[in-house]
Amino acid sequence: MSLVATSAHGVHEAAVKRVDEALAAASLELKEWFGADFVIWSRESGQIVLDDSPLSWAKGPLGAWLAARIGEITSPQVLAEHDCFALVALPVEDDRRRRRIAVAPVATREPVQTEDVAEDAAWLGCDEQEAFRWLRQTQPTPAPALQRLVQAVSGKIEAEARSRRLEHEVGKISDNLASTYEEISLLYDITQNLRISSTDVELGGRALNWLAECLPAESLALYLAPVAKESEITYRARTEPVLLTRGEPLVTIDQLEQMIHDLQLSSGSGPLVANRNVTAAKQWNFPAVRELIVTPLGEGERLFGWLAAINHREAKEFGTIEASLLNSVSAILGIHGCNIDLYRQQNEFLASVVRAFTSAIDAKDPYTCGHSDRVARVSVRLAQELGCDTETVHTLYMAGLVHDIGKIGIADSVLRKPGRLTEAEFEHIKLHPELGYKILCDIKQLSDVLPVVLHHHEQWDGRGYPYGLAGEDIPLLARICAVADAYDAMSSDRPYRKGMPENKMATIFREGAGSQWDADVVAAFFHALDDIRAISQRERAGLSLDVQRWASLPASTHVGE
Ligand SMILES: [Fe+2]
């Protein structure tokens, strides 16, 4: 029997000629039971699909008569009884579990001489001699026993077919379970790494590694779209598209963009499966791409990129299992991308609030313009020298920017007074840490910086203000900020005085270590003095809150970061 395998999309994969194994096996088994060679018909077409009989009866008038009635045969039966044989019919199944009808003349009595089979041969449409030889070679089954045998064999064949069907179902369920299990464990692994601190590139790279193990694709590609324009960012954000690949790199970033454009995909598109029904078309411009699944990384209207699986490893077609897996991973990556972006926007907002505060401080006290920014950056350098972790460094940076925010509440006449302050004026200016605390205490996102705002004028020996805290009772970040603040105050030029010479300043720090300032912080200051000098001598055009980005760069390149 010849079978032509045709894909779901009507593309001929291969013309494969082969024997139907299920029918061949059924024919052999029937021969064992009935001692006869069966001819098997298709019920739908009335065509013979397998003929093992040495007799030519099936090709004669009897065959034609049967072909016309074969569609009506639904159960095992003896179709006709003659002198020496009976015609039996039994339903069987082929490889694709289609019902076929096997028919054979079965000997019921042994003839003595050729004349005994004249009628039988005529009915069979074959030669008397041929019929006689056939009947003589065959072990006869008496007619009553034949009826019972037909029922019994049919029951057995039916039971075996049912068993095969169940086996097939179990196999399918087991395959589905295996792929569902793979999908669940892959998604579990990905969600375990859904941290806001991991970038979409990091999570995307991990997702591709997992997918490479689960999906039979020659190539995987993850396209991450830009989330901001270069001119807009003050916080970490991607401004150029990124392409991550696993396996054969079958498309470039430009080709993937072009493919998505040609396929007219958008953020609302579901997963697209394009097998050779699409890629074999003349207008397909990507010869390296044979089979393809593309899914969008989106959240509502927002689009964060595309995930693609290219070319089935076994040159088969991609189907719903692969598309659904890719779609689930895309959904997670899309939501993660959205969360990262919301977090970035929140930080952008916080940055703009802090920028507004520092601008307000600079406007209030133009003599010390840039002071907050320099104190923030010097504080960061000191914190790094003291081995603080990244989060602490970031907190200190924010704290440095707003440490003097309370000066907004100090009278201009005091704040801008060029000469020496009276005792009353000094008492007034000493209110600024507590005023700053009151200004910021309702902003939850800035709660970590409050101890620095409140305590940056405390002294190690307890003689500072506002609370007269001493030693380690003063928060560490406030002790660091105090040194940075003093350095900037002493080193900066003022309209009414020049910045202090460095040797004089060094003497003051040495004498104040352990009395005014924390001796460890002063030691860190001297270790990092070259960097600190470079930092404070350079003004910055912008104000980045992404400390991780600029603090890892050499101090001399901090301008504009
Ligand atoms: Fe201050």
Side-chain angles (χ1 to χ4, degrees):
M1 181 186 179
S2 81
L3 284 179
V4 177
T6 304
S7 77
H9 300 286
V11 178
H12 291 253
E13 281 178 347
V16 185
K17 288 195 173 180
R18 63 182 183 79
V19 172
D20 188 302
E21 286 171 13
L23 290 185
S27 176
L28 269 178
E29 187 175 4
L30 290 173
K31 183 169 183 169
E32 273 179 31
W33 285 107
F34 295 98
D37 294 300
F38 277 74
V39 178
I40 301 179
W41 266 266
S42 158
R43 286 184 72 228
E44 291 76 30
S45 66
Q47 299 288 311
I48 292 172
V49 291
L50 188 126
D51 185 352
D52 280 342
S53 176
L55 299 175
S56 53
W57 66 270
K59 296 179 185 77
L62 179 57
W65 176 83
L66 257 178
R69 285 158 187 78
I70 206 80
E72 295 159 18
I73 301 173
T74 55
S75 57
Q77 56 193 273
V78 176
L79 290 173
E81 286 186 45
H82 276 261
D83 193 17
C84 295
F85 78 94
L87 196 65
V88 299
L90 294 105
V92 291
E93 278 187 357
D94 70 3
D95 281 344
R96 294 165 71 184
R97 292 191 303 287
R98 289 174 302 192
R99 298 275 278 186
R100 304 297 194 208
I101 304 296
V103 184
V106 178
T108 51
R109 184 173 73 80
E110 196 173 335
V112 181
Q113 51 192 3
T114 316
E115 290 73 32
D116 293 347
V117 300
E119 241 182 80
D120 301 58
W123 200 77
L124 280 172
C126 58
D127 177 63
E128 275 179 32
Q129 288 296 332
E130 188 188 7
F132 183 74
R133 272 199 307 278
W134 169 67
L135 282 165
R136 293 284 291 180
Q137 286 165 7
T138 311
Q139 180 71 35
T141 308
L146 185 61
Q147 288 280 6
R148 289 194 296 277
L149 186 62
V150 166
Q151 294 303 325
V153 170
S154 171
K156 179 177 178 290
I157 289 174
E158 188 60 40
E160 283 171 353
R162 201 179 310 123
S163 163
R164 275 199 304 277
R165 273 198 298 275
L166 287 174
E167 227 170 78
H168 179 76
E169 284 300 313
V170 167
K172 258 171 63 180
I173 291 169
S174 155
D175 285 352
N176 280 346
L177 272 178
S179 75
T180 305
Y181 174 77
E182 261 183 10
E183 186 171 341
I184 289 172
S185 69
L186 165 66
L187 298 179
Y188 173 79
D189 282 347
I190 294 176
T191 50
Q192 285 301 294
N193 285 278
L194 268 182
R195 295 183 199 95
I196 206 85
S197 57
S198 61
T199 66
D200 49 0
V201 172
E202 286 164 354
L203 188 69
R206 284 199 193 103
L208 286 185
N209 291 343
W210 288 312
L211 279 172
E213 288 176 23
C214 300
L215 269 186
E218 284 177 6
S219 178
L220 292 164
L222 175 64
Y223 174 91
L224 294 168
V227 287
K229 290 179 185 158
E230 182 64 49
S231 56
E232 290 172 356
I233 60 161
T234 53
Y235 210 76
R236 197 177 345 179
R238 188 176 43 258
T239 54
E240 294 291 332
V242 169
L243 183 70
L244 307 177
T245 57
R246 292 292 181 278
E248 293 278 313
L250 295 173
V251 286
T252 63
I253 203 161
D254 294 340
Q255 285 172 324
L256 193 62
E257 283 174 350
Q258 186 61 44
M259 200 187 294
I260 284 156
H261 175 266
D262 290 359
L263 290 166
Q264 299 181 342
L265 299 177
S266 66
S267 60
S269 311
L272 174 121
V273 182
N275 286 308
R276 271 162 286 175
N277 57 321
V278 173
T279 61
K282 271 187 188 165
Q283 62 270 30
W284 185 250
N285 296 317
F286 315 96
V289 179
R290 208 173 52 229
E291 296 94 24
L292 172 74
I293 310 175
V294 190
T295 52
L297 272 62
E299 168 65 29
E301 292 288 293
R302 300 262 346 242
L303 178 73
F304 295 94
W306 299 94
L307 182 58
I310 304 170
N311 291 356
H312 198 290
R313 256 187 235 140
E314 293 154 32
K316 293 181 185 167
E317 299 199 320
F318 283 130
T320 45
I321 291 179
E322 292 92 353
S324 127
L325 180 58
L326 215 64
N327 200 35
S328 304
V329 172
S330 296
I332 292 177
L333 293 179
I335 291 166
H336 183 250
C338 184
N339 286 340
I340 290 177
D341 202 50
L342 284 175
Y343 184 70
R344 182 185 68 82
Q345 285 179 32
Q346 201 182 37
N347 281 304
E348 287 283 358
F349 175 70
L350 189 61
S352 59
V353 169
V354 170
R355 261 197 301 274
F357 281 149
T358 48
S359 302
I361 304 165
D362 285 352
K364 179 79 180 174
D365 186 4
Y367 294 161
T368 61
C369 187
H371 168 73
S372 306
D373 183 41
R374 289 191 299 273
V375 170
R377 287 184 293 138
V378 171
S379 294
V380 164
R381 184 62 190 89
L382 289 173
Q384 289 172 326
E385 192 65 30
L386 288 161
C388 295
D389 60 40
T390 309
E391 203 173 326
T392 307
V393 168
H394 184 251
T395 302
L396 186 56
Y397 178 67
M398 301 283 273
L401 288 174
V402 295
H403 74 282
D404 269 346
I405 186 71
K407 284 187 177 170
I408 288 172
I410 302 299
D412 286 351
S413 56
V414 177
L415 205 58
R416 298 183 185 183
K417 185 175 176 182
R420 203 175 172 80
L421 297 177
T422 66
E423 200 170 323
E425 287 167 339
F426 190 56
E427 287 305 313
H428 177 56
I429 217 164
K430 278 163 71 177
L431 295 174
H432 81 270
E434 286 173 294
L435 284 172
Y437 181 90
K438 283 180 189 160
I439 290 169
L440 299 183
C441 68
D442 287 332
I443 304 177
K444 199 174 159 224
Q445 289 87 341
L446 290 176
S447 58
D448 288 347
V449 311
L450 290 176
V452 180
V453 174
L454 189 59
H455 298 297
H456 70 276
H457 284 291
E458 304 283 4
Q459 291 187 191
W460 186 259
D461 56 12
R463 294 168 66 186
Y465 64 90
Y467 292 112
L469 299 183
E472 292 187 351
D473 287 346
I474 308 166
L476 172 64
L477 300 195
R479 283 180 262 150
I480 296 173
C481 184
V483 172
D485 193 16
Y487 169 76
D488 192 69
M490 288 190 273
S491 63
S492 303
D493 292 336
R494 294 282 185 275
Y496 49 88
R497 64 155 172 81
K498 288 288 290 174
M500 192 181 283
E502 198 168 290
N503 56 356
K504 189 178 173 190
M505 189 173 58
T507 307
I508 293 173
F509 269 125
R510 281 201 188 90
E511 287 174 1
S515 55
Q516 185 166 354
W517 300 288
D518 181 339
D520 290 342
V521 181
V522 174
F525 167 80
F526 282 113
H527 273 132
L529 186 54
D530 288 344
D531 277 356
I532 289 171
R533 202 183 294 118
I535 289 167
S536 67
Q537 281 170 0
R538 288 176 183 267
E539 296 292 330
R540 295 194 305 170
L543 182 62
S544 170
L545 291 197
D546 189 1
V547 180
Q548 266 175 289
R549 187 174 174 205
W550 62 259
S552 58
L553 301 170
S556 56
T557 63
H558 285 183
V559 180
E561 278 297 326

